[in-house]
Amino acid sequence: MSLIEHLPPEIYSAILSHVSFPLLQTTTLAFSCALPRSPIPQYHVFQYVRLTHPEQIIQLYQRLRKDRNLITNIDAFSLETWTADADVVVNLMNLLSSGRIKELRMFVGPNFAPEHLEDIFEKPWHGLQFLSLRFRPYVQRATYYQFLKGAYFDSTLLALSRWSKGSCPLPSLSIIQDALDATIAPTGRFAQPLVFFRLDPFRTLSYSPLTSELEHFRLRIPSRQVARFIYSVANSFPALEFLDLSTCNVVESDVEAILGRFGKLKHLVLDGCSVVSQRSDLAEEERQNLWALLGKSMALAGVKLAKEREKKLKVWLEANVLRASMNALQVADAGPAAPPVPVQRRPRRGRRGLATATISLRESLPPDAEPLPGLPSRHTGPPVALSTQKIRILPPQPLLRTFATTAPGYHKTVKDKDTQHSSIRGQFERGWAEGVAQLSAIRGRLLRSWQGGMRVVAFRHHHLSTLYDEDNESGDGSSEERLCVLCFVLRVRARRGQRRDTSRDVGTLLDGTFGRMNCSMVVIEGVDNANSV
């Protein structure tokens, strides 16, 4: 016998702690088969549960029914099958919700109905830190059952929105709809199936207690204009730092609105989005200039937000001043004098003529009518100031570090591709630098005006607050060097002929070397599966 067979259980647990979660279950089973007499802790088998076949769902449910203590050992659960029995899954989830699961991944296939997900997420999952829902509403053979039934999962978003704030501080959320397989439905001939009939529930979800501490949000709904529903609300996603809207219908104006709304956003992924026009009839110089305009608009997104907020603030101040002036006038004066009560004449005796009118236009208003406000005859109090002090808003500095989008496919040869990427990198750097320089000039003028007596306020956590001397803002208004990295997500072919992308590689490298580069472009040649969550 070797020495490894006689190690204490703590040593085996320390060895397995270095294994990643997706491989922990299979590694523990292989370790137990290789050393059958060794005291290898078996709770590592249930620490990360990954089910890939429908039969495993029933087996796990029966095992947990017999030994409920195993539920507390499960830290992460992943359901990766499209043909699962939805009723059995609901029963299994009811057992798992009583544990301490931190990560939950689910594949929602055509066997699921909206009522199933409503039952699963009707009550909050305490301690949940990551939730991933991946929808595939189509099957390999043609069927119209779900379409005729109207199986839309709008109610799932509403159920998540009803979770209380203290029950589940969810930091990461992923909602993905798989695009149609090109081998089954060629692109351009078939429309994308609808998982969510209306997009209004995303607006409700954006300011719900569940997303008050959300930092990472991945939302992929092919060809749907969902971006405007998440940035249209003022207090949506206040803590968002990572946003992935790949395959959605996102245009350049949406990018500017997203950066203006989410002040803490550091990473933006828009793979498969037509952010920059790729028309073949445009000249090469015009194509390159579009990337420069994109970089400049992204750097100046906060300026546009500040101008829009200044207009709203001006209207609000004028309304408040007018209301205050009317209140001051009412307080200074004793109020309008009571109208004199007309003395009604006593009708004469005798017969009235037929031409005598029975009504009078001089009669007073009915008692239920609202009288017009009376104007004061004189005003002895202090004069009321009807002018408002001009208030300017200091535009925030951009915090975006990385921006990932699809690489344009203008050229086919590798040499031309490298030359094209280098040119786009230079144009994006030039546009970003121009935007940052213009932003520094605007901030400098506003801060000099503030030193001269004008009131200047700044954004803090999506609210307005007065700018004081002890703030961390630079006194001369010059913005410190803000770096943004343009990442191109290339689509390459794997060995089996399936198209794959590298969007996941971008997410794994966001906080690495990319954050130290100055507005540069990085080409990633990975072969990670596009459908992986």
Side-chain angles (χ1 to χ4, degrees):
M1 290 187 179
S2 59
L3 182 61
I4 194 174
E5 296 182 3
H6 300 282
L7 297 177
E10 293 79 8
I11 301 299
Y12 294 114
S13 296
I15 295 174
L16 294 175
S17 63
H18 296 279
V19 181
S20 60
F21 255 14
L23 302 176
L24 182 59
Q25 186 180 29
T26 56
T27 303
T28 305
L29 293 175
F31 210 3
S32 301
C33 294
L35 304 174
R37 299 181 180 180
S38 301
I40 300 176
Q42 294 300 311
Y43 68 86
H44 292 289
V45 178
F46 295 92
Q47 193 171 359
Y48 181 87
V49 178
R50 180 171 175 265
L51 306 181
T52 58
H53 301 284
E55 298 81 8
Q56 296 176 340
I57 303 175
I58 301 177
Q59 296 174 1
L60 179 61
Y61 176 72
Q62 295 175 350
R63 178 68 182 274
L64 296 180
R65 283 288 301 271
K66 295 179 180 179
D67 189 1
R68 293 181 177 267
N69 295 328
L70 296 176
I71 300 177
T72 58
N73 296 332
I74 302 177
D75 292 335
F77 177 80
S78 179
L79 178 63
E80 302 178 8
T81 176
W82 301 108
T83 58
D85 190 343
D87 296 328
V88 180
V89 173
V90 171
N91 296 332
L92 177 61
M93 291 299 174
N94 291 333
L95 291 178
L96 296 178
S97 61
S98 60
R100 54 180 185 88
I101 292 182
K102 300 179 181 178
E103 298 182 8
L104 178 61
R105 296 175 174 85
M106 286 186 59
F107 285 11
V108 182
N111 294 338
F112 279 83
E115 295 76 13
H116 293 122
L117 292 186
E118 290 180 22
D119 295 338
I120 295 175
F121 299 109
E122 180 181 4
K123 297 181 180 180
W125 287 55
H126 299 278
L128 190 64
Q129 298 181 3
F130 175 74
L131 175 61
S132 174
L133 299 177
R134 179 179 167 190
F135 296 88
R136 180 179 291 180
Y138 60 89
V139 292
Q140 297 295 333
R141 61 178 183 274
T143 176
Y144 297 94
Y145 173 72
Q146 297 290 345
F147 173 77
L148 296 176
K149 185 181 179 182
Y152 305 113
F153 293 88
D154 300 5
S155 58
T156 303
L157 302 177
L158 298 177
L160 294 174
S161 303
R162 290 190 292 267
W163 285 13
S164 58
K165 182 177 181 180
S167 59
C168 181
L170 190 65
S172 301
L173 176 62
S174 175
I175 300 176
I176 298 177
Q177 175 186 347
D178 283 2
L180 287 173
D181 191 355
T183 59
I184 302 176
T187 306
R189 298 183 182 180
F190 294 88
Q192 294 288 342
L194 296 181
V195 173
F196 304 100
F197 183 73
R198 298 179 59 89
L199 299 179
D200 295 339
F202 286 101
R203 181 186 289 112
T204 306
L205 182 66
S206 64
Y207 60 85
S208 63
L210 176 70
T211 59
S212 61
E213 301 181 12
L214 188 67
E215 298 179 356
H216 308 88
F217 184 39
R218 173 176 294 167
L219 179 60
R220 297 184 177 184
I221 304 180
S223 305
R224 299 292 299 274
Q225 297 179 353
V226 70
R228 62 188 63 176
F229 290 91
I230 65 175
Y231 66 71
S232 59
V233 184
N235 55 347
S236 60
F237 301 118
L240 191 63
E241 297 182 0
F242 175 89
L243 179 61
D244 183 1
L245 295 178
S246 300
T247 70
C248 298
N249 189 359
V250 181
V251 295
E252 184 177 355
S253 59
D254 294 329
V255 177
E256 188 176 2
I258 289 173
L259 296 179
R261 174 63 61 194
F262 308 123
K264 298 182 180 180
L265 190 64
K266 298 179 181 179
H267 311 292
L268 180 61
V269 181
L270 298 178
D271 181 23
C273 302
S274 301
V275 179
V276 177
S277 177
Q278 300 183 9
R279 293 166 47 189
S280 58
D281 57 341
L282 295 177
E284 185 66 24
E285 184 178 356
E286 296 179 357
R287 296 173 183 171
Q288 303 294 336
N289 191 34
L290 292 177
W291 290 97
L293 295 177
L294 176 63
K296 185 176 181 180
S297 63
M298 292 173 62
L300 294 176
V303 177
K304 183 178 180 181
L305 176 65
K307 292 181 179 180
E308 294 177 355
R309 191 64 63 87
E310 283 181 358
K311 295 179 181 179
K312 296 180 180 179
L313 181 61
K314 181 180 179 181
V315 174
W316 180 79
L317 288 175
E318 291 177 353
N320 281 352
V321 169
L322 181 60
R323 187 181 300 108
S325 62
M326 294 298 295
N327 294 336
L329 290 175
Q330 293 179 3
V331 172
D333 297 306
V341 179
V343 180
Q344 299 181 358
R345 294 183 300 175
R346 186 175 182 181
R348 297 180 180 180
R349 294 182 180 181
R351 184 177 180 182
R352 295 184 180 182
L354 297 177
T356 303
T358 59
I359 62 174
S360 175
L361 298 178
R362 298 178 180 178
E363 291 182 357
S364 60
L365 296 174
D368 57 345
E370 183 179 359
L372 296 176
L375 296 177
S377 58
R378 61 180 180 175
H379 177 62
T380 58
V384 179
L386 297 178
S387 61
T388 60
Q389 180 186 6
K390 188 175 182 180
I391 299 179
R392 300 298 301 273
I393 298 179
L394 188 69
Q397 297 180 352
L399 298 180
L400 190 67
R401 295 180 182 177
T402 58
F403 172 62
T405 185
T406 306
Y410 302 142
H411 303 286
K412 296 181 180 180
T413 62
V414 178
K415 182 178 179 180
D416 292 337
K417 181 184 66 175
D418 296 339
T419 303
Q420 177 197 34
H421 291 168
S422 178
S423 300
I424 293 177
R425 175 181 58 189
Q427 293 296 327
F428 185 83
E429 291 177 358
R430 179 176 64 85
W432 181 270
E434 292 178 359
V436 172
Q438 185 175 346
L439 176 63
S440 300
I442 295 174
R443 290 172 58 88
R445 290 196 301 267
L446 290 178
L447 287 175
R448 286 190 296 270
S449 300
W450 168 69
Q451 294 173 355
M454 178 180 290
R455 186 178 180 184
V456 180
V457 295
F459 289 104
R460 285 183 183 174
H461 306 290
H462 301 275
H463 297 285
L464 297 178
S465 60
T466 306
L467 186 62
Y468 295 101
D469 290 333
E470 58 267 24
D471 282 351
N472 295 328
E473 307 292 341
S474 56
D476 56 352
S478 60
S479 301
E480 62 184 57
E481 187 179 7
R482 297 291 175 176
L483 311 180
C484 179
V485 181
L486 175 62
C487 309
F488 279 156
V489 183
L490 300 180
R491 296 186 178 273
V492 296
R493 290 187 177 273
R495 296 181 178 179
R496 297 183 180 179
Q498 298 179 353
R499 295 188 64 84
R500 299 181 178 182
D501 66 28
T502 59
S503 58
R504 188 177 180 184
D505 292 338
V506 175
T508 57
L509 298 177
L510 288 178
D511 294 323
T513 57
F514 286 178
R516 298 189 297 268
M517 302 180 63
N518 185 8
C519 295
S520 58
M521 184 257 322
V522 180
V523 179
I524 305 173
E525 296 282 357
V527 292
D528 201 338
N529 195 339
N531 294 329
S532 61
V533 180

